[in-house]
Every structure is written in structure tokens, then in C-alpha cells.
Amino acid sequence: MSYNVNEKGYYGDFGGAFIPEMLYPNIEALRQNYLNVMAEPEFQKEFNQLLKDYVGRPSPLYFAKRLSKKFNTKIYLKREDLNHTGAHKVNNTIGQILMAKRLGKTRIIAETGAGQHGVATATVCALMGLECIVYMGEIDIARQAPNVARMKMLGATVIPATSGSKTLKDATNEAIRDWINNPKNTHYIIGSAIGPHPYPDMVTRFQSVISEEIQWQLKEKEGREHPDYVVACIGGGSNAAGTYYHFLDHDDVGIIAVEAAGKGIQSGKSAATSALGKEGIIHGCKTLLMQTKDGQITEPYSISAGLDYPGVGPLHAHLYKTGRAEFYSATDDEAMQAGLELTKLEGIIPAIETAHALAVFTHKTFKPDDIVVISLSGRGDKDLQNYIDYFNL
Amino acid sequence: MNRIHQKLQEDKKLLSIYFTAGYPNLNDTITIIQNLEKSGVDLIEIGLPFSDPLADGPTIQGSSTQALKNGMTTEVLFNQLQDIRKSVSIPLIIMGYFNPILQYGVVAFCEKCQEVGIDGLIIPDLPIDVFEEQYKTSFEKHGLINVFLITPQTSEQRIRYIDSMSNGFIYMVSSASTTGAKSGFGEEQTNYFKRIADMNLNNPQIVGFGISNQETFTQATQYTKGAIIGSAFVKFIKNNPLGDIKNFIRSIIG
Ligand SMILES: Cc1ncc(COP(=O)(O)O)c(C=O)c1O
């Protein structure tokens, strides 16, 4: 069993490129070029240099002593929150902006939920001097105000998505429509491991620096490259894909995904795609998604803007269907408590997205000598208002 | 013979009209189709509404959202169309995004289309290779013509491939845009229409996107077999009684 994408762009039954003809030339150009470009020594050099000097990689692998004690297991945190711009998202935007430049594109568009991907995109556009347009759901603009301000300061134009649930799904629709209307000079930097092939694979490869580092960092600390478990939250699945990547074909590493249950899986206000979803097409790829029995995509809900998405990337649909990964979901309340707990025990305020991954301990008990690596995908600065409101701070 | 083939043989420029099923009201479908036929329209595209219509601009997004709110579903549409062939003989095409069709079951969908008298399908996000490998035989078995899109950015080689896979007409998207975005054609479009006409394809081309009145209809059909009006018609039925459809059509083709 392989967990990598095949030459047709599928992970098992999932993936592909279900796109209208208007998008075909750009997607096809990307498909034909992305692996070659990524393999160029010059590209590698520039990418790695920027990750090091600009993003601040490698991100630390931190042994969380007090958290470990509390849950009676060995917990390491992969500190993507310490990256420049505050989340894992920048690994991908650095890669894609270099790709866009090599494809001769001068105008960058992106969608964003929590605003982390929007900020990471606006940042690399400022760095490269390229025009940047970010689509963001109207509701997310309200709940992630600091990131909206950051994008504007970075010179990006933030356009509200006012259709549907006014969140990430709708922002993605608007970005795709923009690309249809601007096929020549524009590159679309998708922010998660979603969309038509080759996006899920390209984003995964750019994010795979996370698991690459975990291997040698864990070797230094524990004398072994493989943890017993890797854990990540899943919105579309980019931090998860990067955290799992080098362990996918190693059965000694357990893979754990935590989705957002919102108010509860059966509450009608949830974003737990693996539990509630069925196979179908969303944003150009075949995957699991939340939908009515007539195939209309339903509105998800999560307190966390970055997990408020009705699908998962095709890799994760495949990991779910084959049983390679264990899937859990954390409610708003469980995630908020887990976020507060990390803050109190370790002095790290996580993004609310990330707090879902930390809530894994309310769902699964690990053995005392298990080594559990958690992707600390982002920091909580952008969520302060939500924490304040929730806990009446 | 399939009604689309018959229609394509007529020596005239064809006018095709798109509307979203279930809009403005759930049960307008039949009245709209009958009025369009009476008014002299040549082909009808019945839009099966989708929650996330990626290739559509605000007008058709809006009609789709409203149609879904009104209660339109694949099942409801087929029920409405059950007796349609008792009252009209105009070629009917269903245009819809792939996911609702996939959930209905592609084979079941094709069977049902044949049963109610649908002649063809336009599924903008069904890739041509997936169609060829998985669904072509079902379409053929049920007498359905599948219509593919080309755009100004489509390469000549790919246009030839699409032509070889088509058995009715090619839907020629007038410019790089979502539906309803641009109005009026310039030299760029005319050159593109002519370039495609000069390729002497096996399948005639019908132009869509950006056609809203007599002037754009005439421009679009100078080098092609026909043109499709969508957003402009959807806007018209939003603001006018269905009985006035003939006025709209008259304003296009006289
Ligand atoms: C900190 C953080 N973690 C996780 C996510 C979820 O995205 P993904 O599943 O692609 O990692 C986001 C998205 O905005 C985020 O900002």
C-alpha cells in the first residue's frame, strides 16, 4: 500500500482534478512542472535558505515536561508556532511563491480561513514584490481581525467572501473564480492540502520539512527517528500532511488526526468531516466532504476559523478509508480547555486550530513510554479575543 | 435521431437559453420551458442548481442559492420533467456540476435523463479523461450527448482532442471569465471565434458567456453555429412575469 499520490493524481480513490476547462491550462502547466521545478538545485537552495534565514527553521522539537507528566506519556511539541508569521502555513507559501515566479506569474491570489495562510501569503508577496489578493469569508474577517490588519499592512488587498456560510469554503470558491477570470498572470497559492491535483501533493511536499526535521531532532533527543505517534489537527490537512509525510510508509509510527467537532458531531454544528462526510467532489478534488444526500455541500461549523471547512484533503480521506490513521474529533469546549491547559502548563498559547490536536488526550490514553509528537501548528496571538470572550478573561 | 443532432442540421444560427431550475419559484420549470419553445428558442439548458458553482458569476450563484432554498433537488427536477415530452419537442440539455450527479449515481442519472427525454448533458467539472474511462458508455447507452467546453486559453491540440470526444457541439466559452462577468465582445473575441472556425472541427461550436442582447448574439454567431444566453435571461425572469419571456427572446432574434 502506498500513501503517495500516483501518476494520475490519486491517493487510492481520492484526488484527481475535477475542474472546469477554464482552469485546465494553469493546472496542467503546474502539473507538468511542479516536480521538475522542485527538484532544481537552484530552487532547493533558495527554498532552504529562506526557510532557514527568513522563517527561522528548523523549528524546535520541544519536550513538554509538565504536559507529559499530566498525561503520563512522553510528549514532544513540534514548534511551528515559532515560525515567522506564527504558523506552519509559511512553509508552503515560500515554496509556492518561488514556484509562481518560475512559472512567470506576477499576481498572487489566496484564500484564507483563520488568516494565517493569508498573512503568510501577503508576507511572501511583500518579500518578492508581487501583487497579492486574499479572499476571506466575511465571518472570518470579523473573528480574526488582527490577521486582517496584518495582511493590509503587508500590502495585500483583502476581499470579503459574502456567499454561502461566508467562511473558508466560500473564500476558496471566490479565489477559484478569480483565477478563472485572470488566467494569464495569476498564480493561486492554495493554503492547504486540498484542491485539484497537483495541489495536495505540492503543498504536502512543501510542508514535509516538518516531518523531515522531526526525524533527526528525535534521533538527537531519543536516539530514534520514529516516534510512536504523530498527532495533528486537520482543517484541509496541510500541517497534518507535513507532520505525517516521512512516516506514512512506516507502520511503527501511529498517525492521529484530530478534526473539529464544533458543538458536537451530532449537533448539526460541526466540521468533523471523517465522521459526517461522504465521498464527493469539492474544490476540484474527489475526497470526503460534508454534504446533503443530494450532493449539496453543507455549511460546517467550528469555533476555529482554520478548521471550519467541510472537506479534508484527499491524502487524509485515503488515510481514513484505509485505516492508516486514527481519526478523532474535539469539540469547541475540549479544544478551548486544551489550549488553556497548554498555556498554564508550558507557557505556550496555541492557536485554537492547534488546540484541537492537544485535545487528543481527552480521547486517547497513551502508554507511559510512548513518544507522542504533536504538531504545534500555530500560535494563539490571533485568537486572543476568542480566548478572552470564551474564558471571560 | 437525437433532437440536438436534428437541430444542428437546421440552416440557421441557433439560440440556446440557460435557466436555473427552481428559480424564481420551485415550480416554474415547465412554464419556462414551454414559453421558451413557443418563443422560437432552439435549445434549452436546464441548470441543476449546486451550492458551490465555481464557474458562475453572481447572477447564477444567486439563482442557484434561491433555487436550493426553494427546495429544488435532482429528484424534484426529474419529477417536474416526467411528462415534459408530452408538451414540448425542443432539445433539452441538463447543465450541472458533477457532485450532485455523482451522489444521484451517474448511471441512474443517465437512465432517468433518457426516461424523461433529456438529450444531452453539460457537466463543466467532469474531466474529459474521467468521462472517457468511466462514463462514456453510459451516456451513449442512454442516448445522451455530452458537451465539453473550450476557452480562449485551450491549446489547439486539446481542442482537437475535445472535438474527437464530442458528438454534438462544442461549448465555446467566449472569454476568460465566470458566467455573466463581461458584456460586449471586442477584437480579441472575434479573432478567437474566427481562429476556431478556421480549424474546421467536426463539431459545430456554440458560444456561451457574455451574450446578453441582439448585438452580442449577432457578433457571437458570425463565425459559429449559435450562442447561449444565461445570466441575462436569469436576470430577466427575476424581474418580469414568465408570460413576458417572448418579449425577451424577440429582443434577441427579432
Ligand atoms: C495554526 C493553524 N493550524 C492549523 C490550520 C488548519 O489548516 P491545515 O489543516 O491545512 O493545517 C490552520 C489554518 O488556518 C492554522 O492557522
Side-chain angles (χ1 to χ4, degrees):
Chain A
M1 173 90 58
S2 166
Y3 300 102
N4 274 314
V5 79
N6 69 20
E7 70 287 352
K8 288 189 148 180
Y10 283 83
Y11 302 86
D13 298 334
F14 304 106
F18 293 79
I19 48 168
E21 189 63 29
M22 296 78 125
L23 291 172
Y24 181 83
N26 273 317
I27 298 289
E28 180 60 12
L30 202 57
R31 188 187 70 78
Q32 285 181 8
N33 289 306
Y34 82 112
L35 289 176
N36 294 339
V37 170
M38 286 175 76
E40 282 170 17
E42 259 314 299
F43 182 95
Q44 281 295 322
K45 196 174 149 209
E46 207 178 339
F47 180 58
N48 291 328
Q49 194 81 44
L50 282 169
L51 287 186
K52 178 164 178 277
D53 298 338
Y54 188 73
V55 174
R57 304 205 71 92
S59 68
L61 184 69
Y62 166 70
F63 178 64
K65 199 165 155 198
R66 298 186 68 207
L67 198 66
S68 295
K69 183 147 183 263
K70 160 121 202 215
F71 293 109
N72 194 25
T73 189
K74 292 175 83 169
I75 303 169
Y76 282 88
L77 303 176
K78 181 59 174 161
R79 300 290 309 274
E80 295 300 303
D81 61 317
L82 295 177
N83 292 341
H84 179 44
T85 70
H88 67 289
K89 297 283 182 189
V90 72
N91 304 326
N92 170 46
T93 60
I94 295 266
Q96 283 205 49
I97 199 92
L98 297 177
M99 182 69 65
K101 281 181 65 174
R102 280 173 177 66
L103 297 173
K105 304 293 188 180
T106 54
R107 180 177 175 271
I108 300 295
I109 55 172
E111 86 297 340
T112 196
Q116 284 306 117
H117 174 62
V119 167
T121 304
T123 299
V124 296
C125 286
L127 182 68
M128 300 292 171
L130 295 183
E131 184 186 358
C132 180
I133 291 107
V134 179
Y135 291 90
M136 186 167 188
E138 211 168 40
I139 291 184
D140 294 338
I141 287 182
R143 63 178 160 174
Q144 301 285 325
N147 274 344
V148 177
R150 288 164 82 199
M151 285 185 269
K152 287 185 177 163
M153 197 170 162
L154 288 158
T157 305
V158 181
I159 302 182
T162 56
S163 57
S165 59
K166 304 177 177 60
T167 60
L168 183 53
K169 160 175 93 76
D170 312 287
T172 308
N173 289 340
E174 289 306 322
I176 292 174
R177 289 183 187 121
D178 180 308
W179 211 13
I180 288 175
N181 283 284
N182 297 283
K184 287 184 191 155
N185 62 348
T186 300
H187 175 72
Y188 177 20
I189 301 193
I190 291 187
S192 194
I194 59 165
H197 178 67
Y199 274 106
D201 186 48
M202 181 171 67
V203 174
T204 297
R205 284 167 187 266
F206 286 137
Q207 291 292 359
S208 70
V209 63
I210 300 174
S211 52
E212 191 183 308
E213 288 173 5
I214 291 173
Q215 292 180 92
W216 63 258
Q217 289 172 319
L218 201 64
K219 176 93 181 164
E220 273 178 20
K221 291 179 196 301
E222 295 281 346
R224 53 189 260 205
E225 289 192 347
H226 289 178
D228 294 293
Y229 295 95
V230 281
V231 182
C233 69
I234 296 207
S238 69
N239 90 91
T243 303
Y244 306 159
Y245 187 77
H246 286 91
F247 305 120
L248 287 171
D249 294 327
H250 298 280
D251 286 342
D252 55 323
V253 183
I255 290 176
I256 298 179
V258 186
E259 295 181 304
K263 305 267 186 213
I265 288 179
Q266 299 306 336
S267 68
K269 298 197 81 183
S270 178
T273 304
S274 66
L276 298 168
K278 268 181 42 191
E279 292 179 22
I281 313 285
I282 182 170
H283 295 141
C285 92
K286 190 181 258 190
T287 187
L288 291 172
L289 64 133
M290 292 164 49
Q291 54 183 317
T292 65
K293 72 174 196 336
D294 300 308
Q296 307 297 339
I297 301 175
T298 50
E299 314 291 1
Y301 163 81
S302 166
I303 192 171
S304 122
L307 305 185
D308 204 349
Y309 185 71
V312 290
L315 165 64
H316 302 296
H318 184 52
L319 294 178
Y320 177 75
K321 193 168 175 180
T322 57
R324 174 68 183 97
E326 291 172 62
F327 275 69
Y328 298 96
S329 61
T331 62
D332 289 356
D333 293 335
E334 289 165 349
M336 294 306 278
Q337 292 300 339
L340 186 64
E341 187 169 66
L342 183 74
T343 308
K344 300 263 190 234
L345 287 176
E346 299 287 347
I348 299 170
I349 304 175
I352 296 177
E353 289 78 17
T354 312
H356 286 74
L358 295 158
V360 69
F361 299 107
T362 56
H363 294 272
K364 181 176 171 84
T365 307
F366 296 89
K367 294 202 277 306
D369 58 354
D370 277 344
I371 295 178
V372 182
V373 175
I374 300 181
S375 167
L376 207 77
S377 58
R379 68 179 87 130
D381 305 30
K382 68 182 176 65
D383 294 314
L384 268 192
Q385 194 58 49
N386 295 309
Y387 279 122
I388 291 167
D389 294 345
Y390 187 88
F391 291 112
N392 289 316
L393 298 172
Chain B
M1 187 172 10
N2 185 296
R3 293 177 197 89
I4 298 173
H5 287 142
Q6 232 159 21
K7 181 53 84 173
L8 289 166
Q9 284 174 0
E10 290 182 17
D11 184 22
K12 63 180 288 208
K13 302 294 184 185
L14 305 180
L15 172 63
S16 179
I17 295 286
Y18 166 93
F19 73 99
T20 306
Y23 179 85
N25 301 297
L26 180 62
N27 292 315
D28 287 342
T29 313
I30 300 304
T31 315
I32 293 173
I33 292 173
Q34 289 171 344
N35 274 302
L36 286 171
E37 179 173 71
K38 257 191 287 176
S39 309
V41 164
D42 297 298
L43 288 153
I44 298 176
E45 290 171 24
I46 305 167
L48 179 63
F50 182 47
S51 55
D52 295 76
L54 288 181
D56 286 300
T59 302
I60 293 177
Q61 284 173 44
S63 63
S64 302
T65 306
Q66 187 58 46
L68 292 172
K69 270 196 198 129
N70 292 345
M72 183 48 73
T73 65
T74 313
E75 195 93 46
V76 168
L77 179 60
F78 280 133
N79 286 339
Q80 291 178 345
L81 294 175
Q82 197 62 49
D83 293 324
I84 191 66
R85 284 304 171 196
K86 291 189 180 146
S87 63
V88 304
S89 58
I90 187 169
L92 295 173
I93 294 172
I94 290 184
M95 178 161 188
Y97 291 84
F98 190 41
N99 197 49
I101 297 170
L102 189 63
Q103 300 311 320
Y104 193 88
V106 179
V107 173
F109 191 88
C110 290
E111 276 169 12
K112 199 71 195 174
C113 281
Q114 182 177 34
E115 187 188 315
V116 303
I118 296 294
D119 306 291
L121 296 174
I122 304 174
I123 310 171
D125 58 344
L126 173 59
I128 194 162
D129 55 330
V130 175
F131 169 75
E132 187 177 6
E133 278 166 31
Q134 296 180 37
Y135 305 122
K136 192 166 181 268
T137 44
S138 297
F139 277 55
E140 283 170 359
K141 179 166 166 215
H142 297 288
L144 294 166
I145 282 174
N146 193 35
V147 178
F148 297 104
L149 275 56
I150 63 169
T151 82
Q153 275 72 42
T154 311
S155 69
E156 178 167 343
Q157 186 193 5
R158 186 163 168 86
I159 291 174
R160 298 248 175 242
Y161 170 54
I162 288 172
D163 189 38
S164 75
M165 291 293 295
S166 301
N167 63 346
F169 65 92
I170 290 176
Y171 190 132
M172 194 169 157
V173 176
S174 65
S175 54
S177 76
T178 44
T179 54
K182 307 210 166 108
S183 60
F185 295 128
E187 215 182 297
E188 200 181 323
Q189 275 84 32
T190 315
N191 290 343
Y192 157 59
F193 299 155
K194 186 158 185 320
R195 170 166 64 87
I196 305 302
D198 289 344
M199 286 179 73
N200 289 315
L201 300 174
N202 296 322
N203 293 273
Q205 302 95 54
I206 299 188
V207 182
F209 290 39
I211 296 132
S212 57
N213 52 26
Q214 189 167 33
E215 189 194 346
T216 40
F217 180 76
T218 308
Q219 286 174 336
T221 52
Q222 188 184 352
Y223 296 105
T224 67
K225 182 65 187 166
I228 303 155
I229 298 183
S231 299
F233 180 72
V234 170
K235 267 187 213 155
F236 181 85
I237 55 173
K238 178 183 182 185
N239 300 319
N240 296 278
L242 302 184
D244 287 356
I245 284 176
K246 58 181 181 305
N247 301 341
F248 180 85
I249 301 304
R250 216 173 281 151
S251 78
I252 311 288
I253 50 174

